[in-house]
Amino acid sequence: MAKEITGYVKLQIKGGQANPAPPVGPALGQRGINIMEFCKAFNEKTKSMMGKPVPVVITVYKDKKFDFIVKTPPASHYIREAAKLKSGSKEPGRTVAGSITMRQAEEIAKAKMEDLNAFDIKEATKIIC
């Protein structure tokens, strides 16, 4: 028989750096999840993405067990990295903070392909641009 799901928790945590401090602790504590168990599992799974912001969707079950799905870092992170920016534009829509080439956009699309709603690289590149 399938486990009964009580809810989902969506967080964005730096890869390999989850700890019980906010936002992880309070979000999981109110659901009754063992915070340290989650942090150890998450850090182990995201060693390769150390320091990058990683979206995670945690499925919480009635018996206080959990599963989680790790997604790829946001496209905005990859774009800032490719354009060598520390932050976005101070006046969005008026001033351009930087730009990337189509080749860089294609590389970002390849990295994000599993999370994008596209069938091929050309369509994924359009989503990124």
Side-chain angles (χ1 to χ4, degrees):
M1 192 162 105
K3 293 181 181 180
E4 188 176 337
I5 297 172
T6 59
Y8 298 95
V9 179
K10 294 180 182 180
L11 296 171
Q12 187 166 305
I13 310 167
K14 289 196 176 201
Q17 298 176 0
N19 58 24
V24 178
L28 300 182
Q30 69 185 10
R31 299 282 188 161
I33 295 176
N34 184 336
I35 299 165
M36 286 309 298
E37 185 180 329
F38 168 77
C39 289
K40 287 178 185 175
F42 178 83
N43 290 340
E44 184 65 34
K45 200 168 188 177
T46 59
K47 279 183 184 175
S48 63
M49 296 183 248
M50 185 64 77
K52 295 181 180 180
V54 179
V56 61
V57 179
I58 306 161
T59 306
V60 183
Y61 298 106
K62 193 172 187 174
D63 62 353
K64 305 298 182 200
K65 300 283 187 213
F66 63 90
D67 288 330
F68 63 94
I69 299 169
V70 176
K71 300 192 176 203
T72 57
S76 60
H77 171 77
Y78 285 123
I79 291 169
R80 276 196 319 258
E81 208 172 61
K84 296 180 176 75
L85 299 173
K86 291 190 189 283
S87 67
S89 174
K90 302 292 183 213
E91 298 177 15
R94 293 186 179 168
T95 60
V96 177
S99 62
I100 60 172
T101 64
M102 282 303 285
R103 179 167 283 159
Q104 288 173 318
E106 194 172 299
E107 290 299 316
I108 294 168
K110 285 179 186 174
K112 292 281 303 169
M113 189 65 180
E114 66 187 56
D115 290 337
L116 293 176
N117 189 15
F119 293 111
D120 61 2
I121 293 296
K122 187 176 181 181
E123 294 300 317
T125 305
K126 286 182 183 177
I127 293 171
I128 298 298
C129 291

